[in-house]
């Protein structure tokens, strides 16, 4: 797998057309299919394969891509460039054949950078809130009469898909810092929602995380702009360092008085934004201060792209949320069930805060699944502190994802710091029944984590309505 290239390398010279016939290994993944979808829509010859026949592959085939199920060197056919998903093993027959043939093998981010090389690129980075903010910007711009291309790491109901090729030369994309691949982009406008230590399995140290964001803002051209959150210490420090470098303009958004785009958040139904042009009320359909800040970021980007502030404020009303971002799953017996992708202590804290605002005076019951052994080891006490805001906090075993177990690291590290309402819980029926038994009329149940905990929402809803309480 290729690593992110140096900012001074020739990555920026690639365009979609320069890649020729592109073959995607692992095309069914959400990120890979997004890039493939855009390239197909732009008339580029695309082929791809995946181990399983996933629904998105039928969509791509209908749009004109050549799709294969299963991996075989013959699937490359006459490809001139290859894009390999991050989950593809080095011994994959297609990847091995591509390397043997001397074909360029690109990281997904490099292919996406090529796709948007000739557009005005708006990239959204940050430890938290990337998908939601990217979605908000896209929905806002569409509502304002613009039709941007976009690539988002989550499905967005208001958009129908997570990626599309628009009719205007604006491209909005989520920029993932988890593996340093956001350094492959060349944005005109870079949004940074927050900067905190995370993905230490890749970076090693907090200082390395901060340094990577410095490299990201250094990619901005002289006439570019950094849009950064004034309320987040990491993003503010990054903005100050960028200003000191003197190479690009900086716009701050947030509740701080020194922000150019000032958020006034009085709670649900009382959110507005002030700019030198006046004060503009927002109608937001997603709860929580973090989402109000994300909306302010989207508003700031819209102003940079020439959207009238009153139009921008009105267009934000079209945003109804992103998949797995405080997503309503259903309810029963007066209990509402939501699901959230939060997998860092700050995200968990924000998700629980939003849930509290929706619950009002009722109780909040949380089922949390830690994601990665390394992250659990680093943040066990912080996860527990965030979860202790719930009335009930049940913790499942760690979802390992790409990692092997680490000796001595288990969910017990979190449980050791939980309050009276928190404890470990077994999977399946035990977890579902524990939540259903605890929840009463008016309460909120929230499933939290980046793993398969998302599958529990429908099971809980079914149990609330008299069905079997899970496998």
């Amino acid at each position: 797998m290729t690593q992110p290239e140096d900012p001074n390398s020739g990555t920026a010279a690639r365009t979609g057309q320069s890649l020729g016939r592109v073959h995607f290994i692992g095309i069914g993944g959400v990120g890979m299919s997004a890039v493939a979808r855009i390239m197909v829509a732009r008339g580029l010859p695309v082929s791809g394969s995946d181990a399983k026949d996933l629904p998105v592959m039928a969509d791509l085939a209908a749009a004109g891509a050549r799709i294969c199920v299963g991996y075989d060197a013959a699937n490359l056919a006459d490809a001139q460039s290859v894009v390999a998903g991050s989950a593809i093993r080095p011994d994959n027959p297609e990847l091995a054949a591509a390397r043997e043939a001397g074909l360029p093998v690109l990281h997904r981010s490099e292919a996406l950078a090529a796709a948007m090389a000739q557009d005005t690129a708006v990239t959204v980075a940050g430890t938290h809130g990337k998908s939601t903010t990217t979605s908000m910007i896209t929905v806002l711009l569409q509502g304002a009469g613009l039709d941007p291309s976009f690539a988002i790491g989550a499905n967005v109901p208001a958009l129908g898909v997570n990626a599309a090729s628009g009719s205007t030369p604006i491209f909005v994309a989520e920029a993932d810092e988890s593996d340093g691949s956001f350094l492959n982009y060349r944005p005109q406008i870079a949004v940074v929602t927050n900067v905190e230590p995370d993905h230490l399995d890749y970076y090693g140290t907090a200082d390395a995380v901060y340094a990577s964001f410095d490299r990201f803002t250094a990619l901005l051209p002289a006439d570019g702009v950094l849009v950064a959150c004034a309320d987040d210490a990491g993003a503010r420090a990054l903005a100050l360092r960028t200003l000191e470098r003197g190479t690009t303009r900086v716009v701050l958004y947030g509740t701080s008085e020194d922000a150019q785009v000032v958020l006034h958040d009085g709670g649900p139904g009382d959110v507005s934004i002030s700019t030198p042009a006046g004060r503009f009320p927002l109608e937001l359909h997603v709860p929580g201060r973090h989402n109000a800040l994300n909306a302010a970021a989207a508003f700031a980007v819209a102003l940079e792209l020439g959207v009238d502030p009153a139009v921008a404020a009105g267009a934000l009303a079209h945003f109804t949320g992103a998949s797995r971002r405080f997503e309503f799953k259903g309810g029963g017996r007066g209990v509402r069930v939501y699901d959230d992708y939060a997998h860092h202590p700050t995200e968990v804290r924000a998700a629980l805060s939003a849930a509290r605002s929706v619950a009002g005076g009722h109780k909040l019951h949380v089922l949390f699944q830690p994601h990665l052994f390394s992250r659990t080891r680093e943040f066990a006490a912080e996860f527990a502190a965030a979860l202790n805001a719930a009335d009930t906090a049940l913790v499942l075993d760690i979802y390992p994802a790409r990692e092997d177990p680490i000796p001595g690291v288990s969910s017990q590290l979190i449980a050791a710091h939980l309050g009276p309402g928190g404890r470990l819980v077994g999977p399946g029926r035990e977890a579902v029944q524990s939540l259903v038994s605890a929840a009463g009329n008016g309460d909120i149940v929230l499933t939290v984590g980046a793993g398969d905990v998302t599958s529990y929402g429908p099971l809980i809803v079914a149990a609330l309505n008299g069905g079997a309480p899970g496998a």
Side-chain angles (χ1 to χ4, degrees):
M1 182 57 54
T2 56
Q3 291 298 312
E5 298 189 22
D6 185 271
N8 296 316
S9 74
T11 302
R14 287 197 185 107
T15 64
Q17 288 76 14
S18 74
L19 300 181
R21 293 182 293 277
V22 188
H23 182 77
F24 289 79
I25 308 176
I27 198 167
V30 64
M32 293 283 281
S33 62
V35 183
R37 190 189 298 273
I38 289 164
M39 289 187 171
V40 170
R42 294 185 173 187
L44 300 176
V46 168
S47 63
S49 59
D50 213 304
K52 298 179 181 179
D53 190 3
L54 300 165
V56 70
M57 293 159 68
D59 294 342
L60 290 168
R66 181 177 60 82
I67 299 297
C68 304
V69 178
Y71 295 124
D72 190 301
N75 292 340
L76 290 179
D78 58 354
Q80 295 170 299
S81 301
V82 170
V83 184
S86 57
I88 300 303
R89 296 171 58 90
D91 60 356
N92 180 285
E94 296 179 21
L95 181 58
R99 294 199 185 284
E100 185 176 348
L103 296 178
V105 178
L106 281 67
H107 187 275
R108 170 195 170 274
S109 61
E110 293 174 293
L112 180 56
M116 60 183 176
Q118 295 172 304
D119 294 324
T120 297
V122 180
T123 56
V124 181
T127 314
H128 329 291
K130 293 183 291 292
S131 295
T132 299
T133 304
T134 309
S135 305
M136 280 185 171
I137 293 169
T138 303
V139 171
L140 190 165
L141 294 179
Q142 286 188 345
L146 299 175
D147 182 26
S149 300
F150 60 91
I152 305 169
N155 289 315
V156 184
L159 298 172
V161 291
N162 70 320
S165 180
S167 59
T168 59
I170 299 170
F171 203 123
V172 185
E174 183 174 340
D176 182 15
E177 86 290 351
S178 66
D179 58 0
S181 60
F182 68 157
L183 300 179
N184 283 324
Y185 303 126
R186 298 297 179 268
Q188 182 73 19
I189 301 173
V191 179
V192 175
T193 56
N194 36 57
V195 181
E196 284 191 85
D198 195 12
H199 306 292
L200 299 182
D201 55 321
Y202 174 81
Y203 285 103
T205 67
D207 285 343
V209 175
Y210 304 138
S212 73
F213 276 90
D214 282 323
R215 291 178 65 197
F216 177 66
T217 60
L219 297 171
L220 287 162
D223 60 346
V225 60
L226 168 64
V227 177
C229 182
D231 288 31
D232 177 76
R236 177 183 279 275
L238 175 67
L240 293 175
R241 293 195 301 272
T242 303
L243 281 172
E244 289 171 359
R245 201 164 58 231
T247 55
T248 192
R249 193 161 51 88
V250 173
V251 171
L252 291 174
Y253 68 90
T255 60
S256 301
E257 292 183 0
D258 62 343
Q260 288 92 332
V261 175
V262 180
L263 171 68
H264 308 277
D265 181 15
D270 185 21
V271 181
S272 61
I273 287 178
S274 292
T275 73
R279 185 161 174 166
F280 305 91
L282 302 184
E283 182 183 344
L284 297 181
H285 299 292
V286 285
R289 168 64 61 84
H290 62 300
N291 279 320
L293 285 167
N294 294 338
F299 191 94
V301 169
L303 297 188
E304 291 296 323
L305 293 171
V307 177
D308 178 83
V311 172
L316 278 168
H318 298 297
F319 182 76
T320 54
S323 175
R324 296 225 57 207
R325 274 66 178 180
F326 203 72
E327 181 181 5
F328 181 62
K329 306 302 290 187
R333 292 188 349 212
V335 178
R336 289 163 290 173
V337 181
Y338 293 84
D339 179 51
D340 199 279
Y341 188 69
H343 53 282
H344 181 280
T346 299
E347 295 169 349
V348 174
R349 194 160 50 247
L352 267 62
S353 175
R356 275 289 183 204
S357 71
V358 172
H362 298 283
K363 291 183 177 180
L364 171 61
H365 311 280
V366 175
L367 177 65
F368 176 62
Q369 182 186 51
H371 185 261
L372 299 180
F373 293 98
S374 59
R375 187 179 283 124
T376 304
R377 178 187 60 196
E378 298 293 336
F379 299 116
E382 290 86 346
F383 276 126
L387 291 168
N388 282 334
D391 296 282
T392 304
L394 305 181
V395 181
L396 294 163
D397 286 340
I398 296 170
Y399 186 80
R402 58 186 178 270
E403 289 187 334
D404 293 325
I406 297 174
V409 177
S410 72
S411 292
Q412 178 58 39
L413 294 180
I414 297 173
H417 300 281
L418 291 174
R423 61 179 174 87
L424 297 179
V425 70
R429 180 183 296 271
E430 180 182 340
V432 173
Q433 190 57 53
S434 295
L435 288 164
V436 170
S437 298
N441 183 40
D443 290 356
I444 297 292
V445 170
L446 179 65
T447 58
V448 182
D452 57 13
V453 68
T454 186
S455 65
Y456 279 81
L459 298 176
I460 296 164
V461 171
L464 286 168
N465 288 285

